[in-house]
Amino acid sequence: MEEEDQEADHKVITSSPPSSSSSPSPSPSSSSSRWNPTKEQITILEGLYKQGIRTPTAEQIQQITSRLKQYGCIEGKNVFYWFQNHKARQRQKQRQETFAYFTTLLHHPPPPPPYNTVGSIGFYEQPLHQCQNSMYSSGTVRMEMKKAAAINGFSAASDHYQTLELFPLHPTGILEDKCASSNESLGDGDEEIGCENMTLFNFFGSQRLC
Amino acid sequence: MEEEDQEADHKVITSSPPSSSSSPSPSPSSSSSRWNPTKEQITILEGLYKQGIRTPTAEQIQQITSRLKQYGCIEGKNVFYWFQNHKARQRQKQRQETFAYFTTLLHHPPPPPPYNTVGSIGFYEQPLHQCQNSMYSSGTVRMEMKKAAAINGFSAASDHYQTLELFPLHPTGILEDKCASSNESLGDGDEEIGCENMTLFNFFGSQRLC
DNA sequence: GCAAATTAATGATTTATTCAAG
DNA sequence: CTTGAATAAATCATTAATTTGC
């Protein structure tokens, strides 16, 4: 549809004067192409983030924006982007930390969980992401499975259930383990539970470090 | 429509300490008529949930099940039910929290930002958490807001933008006030920056940055 | 000391996924 | 099954840091 000319003049050299000034004070003369937050603005934004704000609503953005204007020029979109980026990068950071943590664990095998060691979540060594959607190839297979699972579950739910054996599900050695105990603790648990995209352990996936 | 049942089984109550208790050890003596997850099992299941798994496929269920058997007896249907219930209840919980938040907001007239101290960001007195995901009680409020953002940003992104205002995003005076130092409506020198997409959030009152 | 050159951060866009109405 | 809204991931692009040669 819209083929953005990749070669547009991104240059926009803007002849920005390398004013070398360290503080991006709201000096209007600097017609920079992008928002350059002041220290105060950053401080406030981070404070809001710590308060739990992640994806502010339009109204919130408005309020925040007008509030931040006293410290320098800023628009709503800047606030919007800031939260987008900050959230994403915090998550990214944590993934790396978690990854490092797991790597460490793999080198120091934790005491084999007998029965009461809380933890051990590492399951797949594959990206995993939310792979629940991509385990099927023909498109209907999954549906079938689901239904089957459901049916099996509900129908047979009487007494003598016996490993219903949902399918020709060969155990496959896919899920070798390399368990590692982990559960909270690592990282600043600043994500809330309600959010359904914690992706705490996605680090197996799109990890860019390497 | 697809509101998961609500009172299925499994209490998830932190199962009592394994020691000595009749914790559902792998002995299918069927002392209880229903699955009683062990703490380890819960931990793992929650971990998987955090990883993004919501509705595992039959295969995944199978894998998870066999994995969890290490910590106590369990069947595929238990896993299946657990995800069903957990998903539904998390959603329910979040809706409630969000609703509470909004109720609070409605009772506390939008706190006039007494901005002065840089460090203290007294925006919302409540933790706020992240209500962005479901702040609707009836189901439309949030939609409106988001839509506004989206439409303004992506669709209207064309030419001279000017506070499109395709919404009752009435300022409500909530955020008006101070800091009005920079007016702008005057010059309407909109095209200041060569970026087309800049209109993303015009509705915030496309004011010049500086 | 200072700028050009290089690297690291981070603002801004675009693309892909997810979810749930219709 | 299709589609729109919302959001996260990936990517692009610019600015600040910093290194480096003089």
Side-chain angles (χ1 to χ4, degrees):
Chain A
M1 281 292 183
E2 52 281 5
E3 184 49 87
E4 259 52 55
D5 52 329
Q6 295 293 50
E7 281 310 326
D9 47 331
H10 292 136
K11 287 316 166 88
V12 188
I13 296 173
T14 67
S15 66
S16 58
S19 58
S20 76
S21 67
S22 57
S23 66
S25 56
S27 61
S29 61
S30 62
S31 57
S32 61
S33 65
R34 80 179 197 186
W35 171 56
N36 212 0
T38 64
K39 277 245 162 55
E40 294 84 10
Q41 289 173 333
I42 294 292
T43 301
I44 293 176
L45 287 169
E46 287 178 344
L48 292 171
Y49 187 87
K50 279 184 184 169
Q51 280 186 36
I53 293 178
R54 293 289 178 282
T55 308
T57 64
E59 285 175 355
Q60 288 178 306
I61 289 176
Q62 274 191 43
Q63 296 184 2
I64 295 169
T65 301
S66 59
R67 173 101 163 66
L68 292 181
K69 269 185 185 152
Q70 76 180 312
Y71 302 110
C73 31
I74 185 175
E75 297 179 66
K77 70 170 191 176
N78 303 128
V79 173
F80 174 82
Y81 286 142
W82 189 90
F83 277 98
Q84 287 263 91
N85 284 320
H86 195 68
K87 181 169 58 176
R89 282 161 183 156
Q90 287 294 104
R91 188 156 37 203
Q92 188 177 51
K93 196 169 73 178
Q94 173 150 337
R95 269 193 300 232
Q96 291 192 346
E97 288 173 2
T98 302
F99 178 71
Y101 171 70
F102 261 70
T103 299
T104 300
L105 273 190
L106 288 175
H107 291 175
H108 300 278
Y115 249 66
N116 36 16
T117 305
V118 180
S120 87
I121 293 176
F123 245 42
Y124 310 92
E125 33 193 3
Q126 305 290 6
L128 215 190
H129 266 321
Q130 22 262 72
C131 52
Q132 69 263 43
N133 280 331
S134 53
M135 296 194 82
Y136 51 95
S137 56
S138 63
T140 51
V141 178
R142 166 166 161 250
M143 193 64 103
E144 298 298 306
M145 306 263 240
K146 294 309 185 76
K147 189 188 296 179
I151 292 178
N152 269 313
F154 286 107
S155 310
S158 56
D159 295 281
H160 62 326
Y161 25 83
Q162 46 178 13
T163 315
L164 302 170
E165 170 172 26
L166 312 173
F167 281 100
L169 304 170
H170 42 219
T172 71
I174 300 174
L175 64 151
E176 273 318 301
D177 53 292
K178 36 179 69 175
C179 336
S181 68
S182 87
N183 191 17
E184 55 189 68
S185 75
L186 44 86
D188 52 293
D190 96 323
E191 275 290 348
E192 303 300 328
I193 296 176
C195 190
E196 62 175 356
N197 35 326
M198 213 353 225
T199 61
L200 180 56
F201 296 99
N202 281 349
F203 60 90
F204 285 124
S206 59
Q207 202 59 35
R208 177 189 311 232
L209 49 78
C210 271
Chain B
M1 254 318 179
E2 64 294 15
E3 192 47 275
E4 268 46 287
D5 60 321
Q6 30 280 59
E7 287 307 334
D9 358 61
H10 121 270
K11 268 312 180 56
V12 184
I13 295 176
T14 50
S15 62
S16 52
S19 59
S20 79
S21 72
S22 62
S23 73
S25 54
S27 66
S29 53
S30 68
S31 55
S32 63
S33 62
R34 73 182 200 185
W35 174 54
N36 207 3
T38 65
K39 204 168 184 180
E40 296 81 16
Q41 289 174 332
I42 293 295
T43 300
I44 293 176
L45 286 169
E46 287 176 344
L48 292 170
Y49 187 87
K50 280 184 182 173
Q51 282 185 40
I53 293 179
R54 292 290 179 280
T55 308
T57 65
E59 282 176 357
Q60 288 178 307
I61 289 176
Q62 182 77 354
Q63 295 183 359
I64 295 169
T65 301
S66 58
R67 181 92 172 76
L68 292 182
K69 275 188 181 151
Q70 177 183 356
Y71 303 107
C73 34
I74 187 175
E75 299 175 60
K77 73 169 190 176
N78 302 131
V79 174
F80 173 80
Y81 285 143
W82 189 90
F83 277 98
Q84 286 266 87
N85 289 322
H86 196 68
K87 181 170 63 176
R89 284 163 186 155
Q90 288 294 100
R91 196 154 38 189
Q92 192 175 45
K93 193 169 74 178
Q94 175 151 332
R95 266 192 300 237
Q96 289 187 346
E97 287 175 1
T98 300
F99 181 69
Y101 166 69
F102 247 75
T103 300
T104 300
L105 264 195
L106 289 175
H107 289 176
H108 293 277
Y115 33 101
N116 33 20
T117 48
V118 177
S120 68
I121 306 94
F123 240 36
Y124 305 96
E125 334 186 328
Q126 314 287 36
L128 217 194
H129 280 318
Q130 52 254 65
C131 47
Q132 69 272 31
N133 270 334
S134 50
M135 45 188 19
Y136 46 91
S137 56
S138 62
T140 52
V141 179
R142 163 174 160 242
M143 194 69 105
E144 298 299 305
M145 310 252 252
K146 297 297 185 171
K147 189 190 294 178
I151 292 179
N152 270 312
F154 292 102
S155 306
S158 63
D159 308 302
H160 46 43
Y161 24 85
Q162 51 179 15
T163 317
L164 302 170
E165 154 166 48
L166 19 92
F167 278 83
L169 260 183
H170 43 215
T172 64
I174 299 174
L175 57 146
E176 268 324 303
D177 69 299
K178 314 90 185 262
C179 126
S181 61
S182 66
N183 298 309
E184 41 309 285
S185 49
L186 38 99
D188 64 314
D190 305 334
E191 62 286 330
E192 51 168 88
I193 303 170
C195 187
E196 285 73 309
N197 306 329
M198 286 291 246
T199 62
L200 188 52
F201 289 95
N202 285 341
F203 64 90
F204 291 123
S206 62
Q207 321 185 318
R208 307 165 7 158
L209 286 173
C210 306

